[in-house]
Amino acid sequence: MDRDIRNIVILTGAGISAESGLATFRGPDGLWEGHRVEDVCTPVALARNPALVHRFYDERRAKLGGVKPNPAHEALAALDAAWPGELLLVTQNVDDLHERAGAKRLIHMHGELRSALCAACGKAVSWTASLPPETACTGCGKSRLRPDIVFFGEMPYEMDAIDDAIRRADLFVSIGTSGAVYPAAGFVQTARHVGARTLELNLDPSAGSFYFDESRMGPASVLVPQLVRELLA
Ligand code: NAD
Ligand code: ZN
């Protein structure tokens, strides 16, 4: 890294978990694990077919038991532990591989598979089993628990904290994301606007590649440990 860097924001997407064995959002067939996004990832889909949507996230949640963090998650956790300046890891992923690798300064902007959200009172509770529709909330008692996933059309979590961090950032890194889903896809533009250096690590050029000062193409398990070595050198 060729300039003084103190504050870092790192955005991660499904690509960082691909080598752990979790399918990315839009596979080659344009589907997420065989489903159209509109059928499993919108409030309308949940209202129309709660059984299908709950089952879909039950399957994704169950899958977490059989996967583990890869060297990219581990390198970011090591960076988090060692970095003396500000650092914020913002993930679009709903898996828990960053925290299982040990990352602490982490925001799950699109929710978490291992969490259930009460649509009646807004309380979120940790959830590792399956979640049938009509499950009662332990807070208010109403049968409105749903997967704690931010659907298309819903507001991502902690947008103010993320925006504040990007505005203080000297370096913004995007890892394993297609750059197709807003608002996350727009973070690089804020980062550029405030003069941060911008770097993309991805298997192939993303939709917003041209916004980045530098793009490195390759698998996250190789590129991320390499970047962390550079930053900690
Ligand atoms: P995406 O699937 O749209 O894009 C993934 C990107 O990662 C692609 O550009 C691909 O080229 C790249 N990639 C694939 N393998 C890679 C590797 N080994 N190393 C580096 N890059 C690699 O994913 P997205 O942009 O994160 O889409 C967003 C939505 O998908 C998120 O909202 C998220 O909630 C949801 N999602 C999450 C998971 C998860 O939690 N693991 C999995 C699938 C989808
Ligand atoms: Zn409730």
Side-chain angles (χ1 to χ4, degrees):
M1 287 288 135
D2 56 8
R3 90 157 91 131
D4 286 348
I5 291 166
R6 210 190 117 69
N7 301 336
I8 304 177
V9 174
I10 298 171
L11 173 70
T12 67
I16 198 168
S17 297
E19 290 166 86
S20 290
L22 296 176
T24 56
F25 199 28
R26 289 172 198 79
D29 50 4
L31 302 176
W32 185 5
E33 298 278 6
H35 291 268
R36 294 192 314 148
V37 170
E38 309 85 79
D39 293 337
V40 291
C41 212
T42 65
V44 174
L46 179 65
R48 260 195 211 138
N49 196 343
L52 171 78
V53 174
H54 278 247
R55 194 172 61 240
F56 178 76
Y57 292 102
D58 282 351
E59 286 165 6
R60 309 276 77 70
R61 191 179 307 109
K63 198 132 198 251
L64 294 182
V67 301
K68 52 185 186 18
N70 68 52
H73 300 101
E74 281 158 8
L76 291 181
L79 179 67
D80 179 22
W83 189 253
E86 285 184 29
L87 178 141
L88 181 63
L89 201 49
V90 180
T91 188
Q92 299 171 86
N93 294 344
V94 292
D95 67 52
D96 58 353
L97 296 178
H98 283 304
E99 53 269 48
R100 272 157 63 188
K104 301 275 184 273
R105 294 180 273 183
L106 171 70
I107 289 177
H108 274 278
M109 67 176 291
H110 289 165
E112 298 171 59
L113 285 168
R114 286 186 160 163
S115 173
L117 174 72
C118 177
C121 73
K123 188 179 173 214
V125 288
S126 149
W127 205 271
T128 51
S130 61
L131 178 69
E134 309 296 321
T135 304
C137 166
T138 52
C140 69
K142 298 204 172 107
S143 300
R144 298 282 303 283
L145 281 187
R146 56 166 268 189
D148 190 1
I149 303 291
V150 176
F151 292 144
F152 283 98
E154 296 179 330
M155 183 62 86
Y157 292 129
E158 306 214 43
M159 286 302 292
D160 289 346
I162 296 168
D163 191 61
D164 287 349
I166 296 174
R167 287 178 190 283
R168 286 194 301 272
D170 306 303
L171 173 67
F172 173 80
V173 187
S174 171
I175 304 170
T177 174
S178 59
V181 179
Y182 279 81
F187 291 167
V188 60
Q189 295 172 56
T190 307
R192 283 176 69 96
H193 181 73
V194 298
R197 180 184 162 148
T198 55
L199 169 64
E200 169 183 59
L201 309 181
N202 211 41
L203 204 52
D204 39 38
S206 68
S209 265
F210 59 90
Y211 285 121
F212 290 85
D213 295 324
E214 186 187 348
S215 293
R216 300 181 188 175
M217 298 297 126
S221 65
V222 174
L223 295 184
V224 179
Q226 183 188 321
L227 172 68
V228 169
R229 281 194 296 275
E230 284 173 38
L231 286 167
L232 294 178

